[in-house]
Amino acid sequence: MHARTVAAATTALVGFVALLLPVHDARAGIVGRPVVIAHRGASAQAPENTLAAVDAAADLGVRWVENDVQRTEDGELVVIHDDSLERTTDVEEVFPGRAPWKVRDFTAAEVARLDAGSWFGPAYAGARVPTLREYVRRVERHDQKLLLELKNPALYPGIERDTLKVLADEGWLDRGHLDRLVVQSFAADSLRAVHDLAPSVTTGLLGRPPVRDLPGSAAFTDLVNPSYVSLSAEYVSAVHAVEGPHGRPLRIFVWTVDDAATARTVAGYGVDGIISDKPDVVARALYER
Ligand code: G3P
Ligand code: CA
């Protein structure tokens, strides 16, 4: 009797301790709700939006990476945040006469010559601006999930179709990938176009539409992804109360949360995902005690 009681108590204790341990499975990586998403890759550890930032996220066990997609003059989709190459590459040195160095004014071959790592640190000298194709292949290699942002789509008419073509070519519109992909944008029209062209793709509207507008947005978006600055528990509940285009409640991935206290606050609001430059900090705050 006594032994059985001790065994039961021990089992309960082990279960309790397991709940408090980091949710970091060697195979699955960091798992749990909310999910943790590496913003522009693990961009506090490696130059944003490079393959090195994808690798850094994988090394941390982060299952989701976010990126930004734009288009070159000759139609190649590339992964970069700003509409200019200036901040995150050595374009000023390589092409001094080409200010303001807009992505859309350079060919893919020219972009491929640029160093997108040295600005971050000498260890990353020679890192390149990846094409979307290279990027999704690296995400695939790590068995990660992709939050793909169409950045400045008004500058690139038809980028929705171009992006879906690359994703389809790479197998990311197959059944096995659709639950590993979200396409997001601040541009509602662009997102509506993605939904119309590929209704099975999960979409996310960046920003914080008024609650009264949520049912309208839910015709073409599965997620509403606001800044943490404007977030409240009430807003999260209002989003969850609306049904999206796939018959499920809308979800929320919030950005960009880089400290433990804010991560715990927004997790307490009930968000579904937290986008962070420091996903390791967020995961530790939520899943380690
Ligand atoms: O994923 C959300 C976030 O990336 C939106 O802002 O400027 O970092 O692309 P930004
Ligand atoms: Ca982004």
Side-chain angles (χ1 to χ4, degrees):
M1 180 65 181
H2 176 68
R4 218 177 292 152
T5 307
V6 169
T10 304
T11 305
L13 184 63
V14 167
F16 179 66
V17 170
L19 278 177
L20 300 182
L21 286 174
V23 187
H24 191 154
D25 179 273
R27 190 178 57 81
I30 295 167
V31 292
R33 282 270 154 198
V35 299
V36 182
I37 302 132
H39 182 232
R40 310 181 195 172
S43 54
Q45 309 234 342
E48 64 182 57
N49 279 326
T50 62
L51 300 183
V54 180
D55 295 343
D59 288 346
L60 293 171
V62 177
R63 298 297 320 281
W64 278 91
V65 291
E66 190 260 5
N67 71 4
D68 302 283
V69 175
Q70 309 204 50
R71 196 171 65 198
T72 63
E73 184 179 39
D74 53 346
E76 186 74 59
L77 297 180
V78 290
V79 178
I80 186 167
H81 178 271
D82 300 0
D83 67 357
S84 164
L85 296 152
E86 188 179 356
R87 179 178 62 88
T88 56
T89 77
D90 59 352
V91 71
E92 280 183 82
E93 292 163 35
V94 181
F95 298 105
R98 303 265 300 268
W101 301 289
K102 298 288 185 187
V103 175
R104 64 177 174 176
D105 294 335
F106 285 77
T107 65
E110 289 171 338
V111 171
R113 288 178 53 194
L114 302 175
D115 180 338
S118 290
W119 71 273
F120 188 86
Y124 296 97
R128 300 293 159 196
V129 175
T131 65
L132 177 59
R133 245 174 238 285
E134 291 167 339
Y135 194 96
V136 295
R137 286 178 187 174
R138 188 60 65 97
V139 172
E140 177 73 17
R141 188 195 296 177
H142 293 309
D143 196 26
Q144 289 164 306
K145 306 183 184 202
L146 177 60
L147 176 57
L148 182 159
E149 180 177 349
L150 295 173
K151 182 58 90 186
N152 306 314
L155 296 177
Y156 314 105
I159 194 171
E160 300 83 8
R161 193 179 289 276
D162 295 347
T163 300
L164 290 168
K165 175 156 186 347
V166 171
L167 291 170
D169 288 351
E170 296 297 322
W172 275 76
L173 300 189
D174 299 350
R175 282 175 88 83
H177 284 83
L178 283 172
D179 66 348
R180 291 165 53 192
L181 172 70
V182 175
V183 176
Q184 67 172 358
S185 184
F186 283 103
D189 287 353
S190 186
L191 219 52
R192 198 179 286 109
V194 170
H195 180 69
D196 290 346
L197 289 164
S200 54
V201 169
T202 302
T203 52
L205 180 60
L206 283 160
R208 188 191 188 283
V211 169
R212 66 176 175 279
D213 291 350
L214 291 173
S217 300
F220 59 88
T221 193
D222 300 275
L223 291 94
V224 171
N225 297 344
S227 160
Y228 76 89
V229 174
S230 57
L231 200 59
S232 66
E234 292 70 29
Y235 189 76
V236 175
S237 298
V239 169
H240 284 159
V242 176
E243 192 173 277
H246 296 102
R248 291 187 290 274
L250 295 182
R251 288 179 288 151
I252 287 200
F253 287 179
V254 66
W255 45 276
T256 302
V257 175
D258 290 342
D259 68 278
T262 308
R264 291 195 193 100
T265 298
V266 296
Y269 293 164
V271 300
D272 303 281
I274 299 179
I275 300 166
S276 177
D277 297 339
K278 299 177 179 175
D280 50 328
V281 170
V282 172
R284 217 175 297 127
L286 300 185
Y287 301 126
E288 283 187 21
R289 294 288 185 276

